[in-house]
Amino acid sequence: MASNVTLRIELDSAVPAYRQIVDGLRILLVNGQLAPGSELPSVRRMALDLGVHFNTVAEAYRTLADEGWLELRQGRGATVVKREAPAAGSEQVEDLRRRLQALTAEMLAKGVPAAKLRSLMRAAAEEL
Amino acid sequence: MASNVTLRIELDSAVPAYRQIVDGLRILLVNGQLAPGSELPSVRRMALDLGVHFNTVAEAYRTLADEGWLELRQGRGATVVKREAPAAGSEQVEDLRRRLQALTAEMLAKGVPAAKLRSLMRAAAEEL
């Protein structure tokens, strides 16, 4: 089953394209828009569509395969596989706490008002 | 006024030391634990304390100076300066929304339960 993945990345962003592809696909995988059995475009196709280097997409696919989301096929692309969710340890929770704190500080420093931050965090929590 | 900055970084973390130093200091700057007039340790001192390369600390100080938090002194360290908070544009807010979404997906993928995520986000929002 081929899937119509719509992934947009910003080439002029400070976030590397590799990171944007991994994060963007992971969101689709976690929320089920990319379900087991779906086929991702070939590395070549995706690289052309996004305007990035072949290797950037290949590396992103490999990362998601290492996380258990994808099965890679030689030169052809990737298939979404059924994945057992791991059990998070306390380090993961501590890591999240730390990263939320860093993100919060960064955004306050950039001038995002605290009230706006609060409402975005509440919205993110409620979307779960 | 010299300040006793306590900054801990994890050398075996996937997060680069540079990022950890910038994020860690920014949290102290945003919450006022590092107030204007405070002096940071010299680059050399901080590098020795943290067990990282001189250049890593120098780059972190430069980043925070570019953001308007620090005034660098040739070879001697850095002083925290009074900083006017910029007004955030809608890109900053959109950037935050996107990064919260990516962080959420990553943590769910790592097995952090949704309920735990929700409570951590609520806690982060309330700390503001």
Side-chain angles (χ1 to χ4, degrees):
Chain A
M1 163 175 66
S3 87
N4 265 329
V5 193
T6 322
L7 190 67
R8 259 180 301 168
I9 66 169
E10 289 169 43
L11 294 176
D12 60 353
S13 163
V15 183
Y18 158 76
R19 186 81 264 149
Q20 292 185 60
I21 297 170
V22 170
D23 284 347
L25 288 176
R26 199 192 286 107
I27 289 169
L28 299 172
L29 289 159
V30 166
N31 72 20
Q33 284 179 264
L34 276 175
S38 306
E39 282 175 31
L40 291 188
S42 72
V43 168
R44 198 168 296 278
R45 178 77 259 156
M46 178 80 95
L48 275 171
D49 287 350
L50 297 178
V52 300
H53 196 281
F54 181 90
N55 286 339
T56 304
V57 177
E59 198 188 338
Y61 279 16
R62 258 197 309 274
T63 298
L64 291 168
D66 288 345
E67 289 183 14
W69 294 108
L70 303 180
E71 190 171 279
L72 305 180
R73 282 160 314 143
Q74 200 65 33
R76 289 202 301 171
T79 308
V80 179
V81 292
K82 199 167 150 44
R83 170 182 186 267
E84 296 302 321
S90 55
E91 306 123 70
Q92 261 92 22
V93 172
E94 184 46 30
D95 180 49
L96 174 63
R97 214 190 48 70
R98 226 181 285 125
R99 287 165 68 188
L100 276 175
Q101 195 187 22
L103 188 56
T104 304
E106 184 183 337
M107 290 296 153
L108 286 173
K110 280 186 179 157
V112 177
K116 186 76 206 168
L117 267 173
R118 263 196 300 275
S119 77
L120 283 167
M121 288 219 176
R122 278 204 211 94
E126 255 127 63
E127 271 170 30
L128 295 175
Chain B
M1 165 176 63
S3 87
N4 265 329
V5 192
T6 322
L7 191 67
R8 258 179 303 169
I9 66 168
E10 289 170 43
L11 295 175
D12 60 352
S13 163
V15 183
Y18 158 78
R19 187 81 264 149
Q20 292 186 60
I21 298 170
V22 170
D23 285 347
L25 288 176
R26 199 192 286 106
I27 289 170
L28 298 172
L29 290 159
V30 166
N31 71 21
Q33 285 180 261
L34 277 174
S38 305
E39 283 175 31
L40 291 187
S42 72
V43 168
R44 197 167 297 277
R45 178 76 260 157
M46 178 80 96
L48 275 172
D49 287 349
L50 297 178
V52 300
H53 196 281
F54 181 90
N55 286 339
T56 305
V57 177
E59 199 187 337
Y61 279 16
R62 258 196 309 274
T63 298
L64 292 168
D66 288 346
E67 289 182 15
W69 295 107
L70 302 180
E71 192 172 277
L72 304 181
R73 283 161 313 144
Q74 199 67 32
R76 289 203 299 170
T79 307
V80 179
V81 293
K82 202 168 148 46
R83 170 181 186 267
E84 296 301 322
S90 56
E91 307 123 70
Q92 260 92 22
V93 173
E94 184 46 31
D95 180 48
L96 174 63
R97 214 190 47 71
R98 226 182 285 125
R99 287 166 67 189
L100 276 175
Q101 196 187 22
L103 188 55
T104 304
E106 184 184 335
M107 290 296 154
L108 287 173
K110 281 186 177 155
V112 178
K116 185 77 206 167
L117 267 173
R118 262 195 302 274
S119 76
L120 283 167
M121 289 218 176
R122 278 204 211 96
E126 256 128 62
E127 271 170 31
L128 295 176

